[in-house]
Amino acid sequence: MFLRNPIAGFVLWTALVYGALAAPWPGLQQAYSRAYRGTARIVFGSIGPDGIVEFVASPVPRGASDTQIIIRNRHRSAFTVSPHAPRRAGYLPTALLAALTMATPLPWTRRLKALAWGVAAVHLYVGLRLAVTLAHGFNGTSEWCLYELPRWWSSSLAAAYEMISISPTTPFLVAVFAWGLIGFRRGDWSRIFGREGKLHPRGKA
């Protein structure tokens, strides 16, 4: 009876796929973190003429925090180091998006297209998260800073930093939003589940 309920089946399949993707497979976190750091260096390695950002592997990784973000000013010796967790910032939200998409009872061509666009959307958010982190890090009066924004703008940047870059739930909310926005068309819910919550026969893409 449980599996005959389409919503219960969807929840079960989502949990199974997410559990499989989120499991600590040997070498997977390290491979993703290396790709994450390499891409981040290309995009954010230089901020204007004076800002330098380094994304390096942590000498002593602590759980998912296996990366360090080093912010420095080209003309000064001072710098700051922040721990960073690519697994939490990018990999796990992507795994959630993939689980939701694969468990959705839609034609496979649509699922695969939604997955591709959804992964791109999640990683655009990852880029925004890093951009806000660096904007916040370079703002202030410390020796490595590049500028000092007026008080109102600094407060707004700090609020954005807390919401976008610090909150542990925001990446997962972005993944769910991307799944719902990209994966569904108008009328899909009623067509898939029907008015009485019963799974509708699969239609054409």
Side-chain angles (χ1 to χ4, degrees), residues 78-112:
F79 61 91
T80 183
V81 180
S82 300
H84 189 64
R87 176 178 170 82
R88 287 197 296 264
Y91 179 77
L92 290 180
T94 302
L96 176 60
L97 171 83
L100 290 168
T101 304
M102 292 298 99
T104 303
L106 292 171
W108 277 103
T109 53
R110 283 188 55 190
R111 289 191 231 187
L112 294 176

Side-chain angles (χ1 to χ4, degrees), residues 63-79:
S65 298
D66 59 1
T67 296
Q68 291 181 337
I69 301 177
I70 303 174
I71 295 176
R72 66 173 75 244
N73 189 312
R74 192 182 304 274
H75 303 293
R76 300 172 185 173
S77 59
F79 61 91

Side-chain angles (χ1 to χ4, degrees), residues 2-11 103 105 192-193 197-200:
F2 179 80
L3 291 180
R4 290 181 182 178
N5 185 309
I7 297 178
F10 166 76
V11 172
I192 293 170
F193 295 103
K198 296 181 180 180
L199 187 64
H200 192 280

Side-chain angles (χ1 to χ4, degrees), residues 122-188:
V122 169
H123 284 84
L124 283 175
Y125 158 76
V126 171
L128 173 63
R129 178 187 176 111
L130 287 175
V132 172
T133 298
L134 297 178
H136 183 265
F138 277 118
N139 176 51
T141 58
S142 301
E143 290 189 21
W144 61 79
C145 292
L146 300 180
Y147 47 80
E148 182 180 3
L149 295 175
R151 183 175 179 178
W152 187 88
W153 286 106
S154 291
S155 298
S156 299
L157 178 59
Y161 175 69
E162 290 290 334
M163 182 177 66
I164 296 173
S165 301
I166 298 298
S167 172
T169 60
T170 302
F172 298 97
L173 293 176
V174 169
V176 173
F177 181 76
W179 163 71
L181 185 65
I182 296 172
F184 286 92
R185 298 173 185 169
R186 181 179 299 179
D188 272 346

Side-chain angles (χ1 to χ4, degrees), residues 6-88:
I7 297 178
F10 166 76
V11 172
L12 176 62
W13 279 113
T14 299
L16 290 174
V17 175
Y18 180 75
L21 292 174
W25 299 104
L28 181 59
Q29 177 175 324
Q30 293 79 359
Y32 182 84
S33 293
R34 284 195 297 270
Y36 186 103
R37 290 192 293 266
T39 304
R41 289 190 197 104
I42 294 172
V43 178
F44 297 107
S46 180
I47 306 297
D50 300 326
I52 299 176
V53 184
E54 299 176 32
F55 297 86
V56 300
S58 298
V60 183
R62 296 183 179 180
S65 298
D66 59 1
T67 296
Q68 291 181 337
I69 301 177
I70 303 174
I71 295 176
R72 66 173 75 244
N73 189 312
R74 192 182 304 274
H75 303 293
R76 300 172 185 173
S77 59
F79 61 91
T80 183
V81 180
S82 300
H84 189 64
R87 176 178 170 82
R88 287 197 296 264

